[in-house]
Amino acid sequence: MGSEMVATRCDVLVVGGGPAGAATAALAARRGLAVLLVERAVFPRHKPCAECLSPEAARDLEALGVLDEVEAAGAAKLRGFRLVADDGAAVTGTFAGAVPFIPYREYGLALPRATLDAIVLRAAGRAGAAVRQGVALERLLVERGRVCGALVREEGRRAEIRARVVVGADGLNSLVARELGVARQGKLRRLALVAHLEGVAGTSDVGEMFARRGRYVGMAPIGRGLVNVAAVVPGTEAPRVAADPAGFFAAELRAVPELARRLAGARTVREVMITGPFARRSRRVVADGALLVGDAADFYDPFTGEGIFAALRGGALAAEAIAGALAAGEATAAALRPYVAARRRAFLGKWVLERIVAHGAACPVVMRRFTRRLAARQRVADLWVGAAGDSVPVRTLFAPRQLAALMI
């Protein structure tokens, strides 16, 4: 066959097999489209991530037919979140307490991405999508200004894949977004160091966030005795992180007095992984013959912890838009514009909340006051946690009554 392989043709080429890509592939295939998903890695594979799914994400997992499988895989149930300021002030909010907003489930889920991603990818295959792992994107194919496929490499050989639309679901550092010339870096650059620990004292059925100036530590049980621990730090720390990731990570945890006590007997069971910088957002999420979904489209900051939900829901929105565009003719940027509007309706509130919380987390005085106010007003605390869990409209938090509760 030589160095070149025979060209493959499909309706939809999905680049990336994480939750965003797998959901897009599964739901597009269900609509009768010929879908090919290519993934650079070979699953199962670990991925640095908070590994939490909001209560609303259960709706998307159920639509994919995998909710029971995810829960059976040992996922931990998270009923809310606890926020701890740098002076020790703390507040816990619950998803179920955000009355009158009833979440799809009264709890979120948390489990390793190595487990979750494999489950969702299998769902894409069951739905009829062709799945090829160990396939790396080299570049997009463009003819007359329109994306018409991709050149990929598999087992050292190149292959040309022709597609009516290409979906970039290849994550935070998306090559598809770079090829389209739409990748953009924001100003608030942060890195995350993530590991799995066992033997952590005092864990319960809530996730926890410990805020300090310009940085924070997130922690949540992910089932089977494991706890996901993530330290998020300014991007200026990159040289120190690169020099000694494990040492830097341990020092960040020891800097939080409560964590220093609770982690004294803990053991790291998965090495420290690094991801970032965050605050990436594409200037456009559609082009002639192409579309971006999940972290490839935008990723700001993990403080509100909705990334997997946005990936799954974004995949559903992408599949619907692609099916509509192809049914009408071609997947031009204009034909895919309903996807842009649908994303805005679905995620605008969370985009605003992400930016407010991320900037607030960098200011200890703000976080202390915010935490103490919420601790004195449980209903308001539950509403904030419900908004982070995607079941409370963000606009509710900024109603005069709720704002007054934080000011008085």
Side-chain angles (χ1 to χ4, degrees):
M1 190 175 294
S3 60
E4 297 290 335
M5 296 176 64
V6 176
T8 300
R9 294 186 178 274
C10 59
D11 293 321
V12 184
L13 171 62
V14 179
V15 180
T24 304
L27 297 174
R30 284 185 188 175
R31 287 170 167 80
L33 298 173
V35 180
L36 170 59
L37 182 152
V38 296
E39 163 58 43
R40 184 186 190 95
V42 176
F43 284 22
R45 59 95 168 90
H46 290 288
K47 185 176 179 64
C49 174
E51 300 182 313
C52 295
L53 295 90
S54 67
E56 187 64 22
R59 187 189 306 273
D60 298 277
L61 293 174
E62 192 154 69
L64 290 169
V66 299
L67 180 57
D68 289 344
E69 187 177 357
V70 167
E71 295 199 279
K77 295 180 178 180
L78 301 181
R79 301 191 181 277
F81 271 88
R82 175 176 179 251
L83 174 63
V84 184
D86 66 340
D87 65 348
V91 59
T92 300
T94 64
F95 301 122
V99 178
F101 302 97
I102 308 301
Y104 190 72
R105 291 286 189 275
E106 292 188 350
Y107 52 85
L109 297 170
L111 74 167
R113 285 289 299 273
T115 303
L116 173 69
D117 291 8
I119 290 173
V120 182
L121 188 63
R122 287 196 296 270
R126 288 196 300 269
V131 175
R132 285 163 53 183
Q133 301 182 52
V135 180
L137 173 69
E138 288 202 350
R139 62 178 175 85
L140 297 179
L141 300 176
V142 180
E143 293 180 354
R144 296 186 294 278
R146 182 183 183 281
V147 177
C148 59
L151 187 66
V152 301
R153 182 171 291 276
E154 182 177 10
E155 296 180 345
R157 296 179 298 177
R158 284 179 166 172
E160 186 178 274
I161 302 173
R162 293 277 172 165
R164 298 171 70 190
V165 61
V166 175
V167 176
D170 49 340
L172 181 62
N173 298 302
S174 169
L175 178 54
V176 175
R178 297 200 302 274
E179 285 275 298
L180 292 173
V182 299
R184 182 175 63 182
Q185 177 67 56
K187 294 181 180 179
L188 192 60
R189 298 168 64 89
R190 286 176 171 158
L191 304 172
L193 298 90
V194 189
H196 290 172
L197 279 66
E198 65 178 7
V200 177
T203 58
S204 64
D205 59 354
V206 298
E208 298 175 273
M209 302 295 292
F210 299 83
R212 295 196 294 137
R213 181 185 293 274
R215 58 188 73 206
Y216 54 88
V217 175
M219 188 165 72
I222 55 174
R224 306 190 188 283
L226 298 179
V227 175
N228 177 294
V229 181
V232 178
V233 302
T236 53
E237 297 282 17
R240 294 177 59 205
V241 170
D244 182 12
F248 185 96
F249 181 70
E252 286 294 306
L253 304 186
R254 288 195 301 267
V256 180
E258 181 181 331
L259 287 180
R261 295 191 300 271
R262 292 173 58 187
L263 298 175
R267 183 173 69 91
T268 301
V269 296
R270 193 198 71 189
E271 76 280 5
V272 176
M273 302 181 73
I274 304 166
T275 184
F278 305 137
R280 291 184 184 270
R281 188 173 184 180
S282 298
R283 286 191 293 271
R284 299 185 309 277
V285 296
V286 298
D288 288 339
L291 174 153
L292 299 173
V293 67
D295 291 350
D298 54 69
F299 188 100
Y300 191 68
D301 196 284
F303 199 100
T304 54
E306 85 306 329
I308 301 176
F309 160 74
L312 295 169
R313 184 62 54 85
L317 300 177
E320 181 177 4
I322 290 168
L326 294 183
E330 293 187 10
T332 63
L336 293 171
R337 199 166 294 145
Y339 173 63
V340 178
R343 289 184 79 249
R344 186 175 180 84
R345 289 192 299 270
F347 304 133
L348 178 59
K350 285 303 289 290
W351 293 337
V352 172
L353 185 62
E354 286 171 353
R355 283 152 180 76
I356 292 172
V357 173
H359 285 281
C363 180
V365 173
V366 172
M367 288 305 294
R368 292 170 198 157
R369 180 181 178 85
F370 177 73
T371 303
R372 291 185 183 278
R373 293 294 185 184
L374 287 186
R377 296 159 177 81
Q378 186 61 54
R379 179 178 179 277
V380 181
D382 292 337
L383 288 174
W384 276 81
V385 168
D390 304 303
S391 56
V392 173
V394 172
R395 64 180 180 275
T396 302
L397 305 181
F398 302 103
R401 179 181 177 186
Q402 309 307 337
L403 288 177
L406 295 179
M407 301 299 293
I408 298 174

